[in-house]
Structure formats: C-alpha cells, structure tokens
Amino acid sequence: MTGPFACRFRFGAFEADPETGELRKNDRKLRLQEKPFQVLIALLEQPGKLVTRESLRQRLWPADTFIDFDNGLNTAVSKLREALGDSAEEHHYFETLARRGYRFVASVEQVGLAPAPPRRELVIRIKRLATDIALLELGGRVSLGTECQEIETLVGDLLRQKEKKIIFDLSRVTQVDSTGIGIIVVCSGKVREAGGELRVAGAKGIVDAVFKTSRVESIVQLYPSLAAALEGFTDKKPTPE
C-alpha cells in the first residue's frame, strides 16, 4: 500500500510503515530486516486472524526460490519477536498456532488511510428506451446541492443531441425538495421550448406527496409509472405550431 495516503500501523509503543519499511518504537527507528518486517505487516493486515505459514511462504519467497522455508520463516519470526521484545511463551503482540501459523493479538490502529470518497446522494443513469426516447433514472435525493444541477446539465446535452422525448423515472427517488422540483420544472420548460416533451414518472410516497403539495402537475406532466409515461409516446405526433 503506497502513495500519499499509504497506511501505517500503530500498536503499543510501535509504529510500522509498509511504504518505507521502517519499524519505530516511541518514534525511534529500530533495526529490522526485510523478511521479519514483511511477517509483521502480514500479521498487522489481519489482526486477530490466523496467518498461515503457507501464506507467509508465498508472500516472502517466490515460487521458484529454493530455500529451507521452515528454517527461514522461523528465523524471521525469531528476529521479529526480538525486535518487539516478545516471546512465544509470554507473547504480547502475536501468538504461535502450532504447525499452522501466527495470529496478531494486540490492538492495532491504522493511520494515514485515504479518506473515503463522499457518498453520492443522487444517482443518475441515462438509458435509451427507443430510437427517439431518452430515459433518466434518478435515485436517492433530488435536493439542494451540486449533484442536483447535473440533471439540468444532462438534459441540456440531450437537447443539443436533438433529443425531443425525455422521461424522468423517479421510482428510486427517496426525497425531493423545492430545489429538486425547481430543477425538474426548469428542465421541462427547456424541453418544451426546444419543441419536445418531458414526462415525469414513478413518484411515490413522500416524493409524490411533495409533488402534489407543490401543484407541479400544472406545469410538468406526471405519470404513475414508467409504463404509463411510455404509453402513446412512441407514436405521438408533434403538436402543430
């Protein structure tokens, strides 16, 4: 695990950095060879779980390396215990499970992890229902925020592509506020100005209630389901000017 957000492990007075290969105790760097350090990292990555000797062999030595694996791993484990001031008999950090492997038993803290990407509150998918019908599936919250503006942007893109029949499927929308309604009304107006038609389908529960309270049906064509919105859309003749 490398890069600007590489993870470091803290346990007791120690900190191990997989990126630099350094082990520190109370911020003082300790001397530890590569193999013992890799054993330590393998244990820290799975605290409380068995790390088998076979998995350590695969991690530390390539398949085409010919060594006395048992002695090599035993030596690496001994050097690691020495660096940690630990022992097999009175272990504080990791224990031996006879003939199977090792398990890290101390508390481990991971620091420096990459921050989780913000979760999107609005999901938008564009689908083609027919040669001349574009569907925007909306899910989540259609409310104040930059994500909501994406709806208007996508409709603008569709209009530039000469799309004239557009359906919004709101069956997966869980919340809508005045900003969301405003965006839908604006999009409907833009489509109408371009000589097309926007239909809104599938609003239910609290979303349907908000639409009814806002009396938006006087501006936007609402349909109880996608099937209802599609009915008559594929063969609808343009309204004469």
Side-chain angles (χ1 to χ4, degrees):
M1 190 179 300
T2 59
F5 296 108
C7 171
R8 302 188 308 279
F9 298 96
R10 286 179 183 165
F11 57 100
F14 297 91
E15 180 173 294
D17 189 335
E19 187 173 32
T20 63
E22 294 177 321
L23 175 65
R24 295 179 178 274
K25 181 178 182 181
N26 295 323
D27 208 30
R28 180 175 61 86
K29 184 177 178 179
L30 303 178
R31 293 177 60 87
L32 187 63
Q33 296 176 338
E34 177 66 16
K35 299 300 187 196
F37 184 81
Q38 287 302 321
V39 172
L40 174 61
I41 297 304
L43 295 171
L44 292 172
E45 288 175 346
Q46 301 183 73
K49 296 183 179 180
L50 169 67
V51 177
T52 66
R53 292 176 65 86
E54 175 60 22
S55 68
L56 290 172
R57 183 193 67 77
Q58 295 176 7
R59 179 172 182 141
L60 272 62
W61 290 279
D64 58 353
T65 301
F66 298 97
I67 65 164
D68 184 342
F69 160 69
D70 286 327
N71 284 336
L73 180 57
N74 291 341
T75 298
V77 169
S78 295
K79 290 184 178 297
L80 175 58
R81 289 197 190 278
E82 182 180 350
L84 299 180
D86 215 8
S87 71
E89 294 75 21
E90 298 183 10
H91 57 269
H92 300 287
Y93 297 107
F94 68 95
E95 63 179 347
T96 300
L97 282 76
R99 296 182 298 279
R100 299 182 64 189
Y102 308 90
R103 178 167 54 202
F104 203 85
V105 295
S107 176
V108 180
E109 176 189 5
Q110 297 185 36
V111 294
L113 286 172
R119 182 178 179 180
R120 286 185 61 88
E121 295 186 332
L122 173 64
V123 177
I124 309 173
R125 296 186 180 91
I126 299 180
K127 290 184 177 180
R128 174 71 58 188
L129 295 183
T131 55
D132 61 344
I133 301 178
L135 173 69
L136 266 69
E137 289 183 335
L138 308 182
R141 300 176 58 187
V142 185
S143 56
L144 178 64
T146 55
E147 292 176 5
C148 195
Q149 297 296 328
E150 293 180 21
I151 300 173
E152 185 176 356
T153 300
L154 289 173
V155 169
D157 291 341
L158 290 172
L159 292 176
R160 281 188 288 274
Q161 296 168 24
K162 306 302 181 182
E163 300 285 354
K164 296 296 179 68
K165 298 177 181 179
I166 301 173
I167 298 176
F168 285 1
D169 181 0
L170 307 188
S171 59
R172 294 182 177 84
V173 172
T174 57
Q175 182 178 335
V176 63
D177 64 4
S178 58
T179 299
I181 290 177
I183 289 290
I184 292 173
V185 169
V186 167
C187 289
S188 178
K190 288 186 174 182
V191 174
R192 188 165 51 250
E193 289 174 4
E197 182 180 349
L198 172 64
R199 296 183 175 186
V200 177
K204 54 189 178 183
I206 187 65
V207 176
D208 184 45
V210 171
F211 274 117
K212 289 177 179 177
T213 302
S214 304
R215 300 184 182 278
V216 74
E217 69 271 10
S218 62
I219 306 173
V220 179
Q221 296 190 62
L222 303 179
Y223 296 81
S225 66
L226 178 57
L230 277 170
E231 187 176 349
F233 213 174
T234 55
D235 58 355
K236 180 172 178 166
K237 297 180 180 179
T239 303
E241 299 181 359

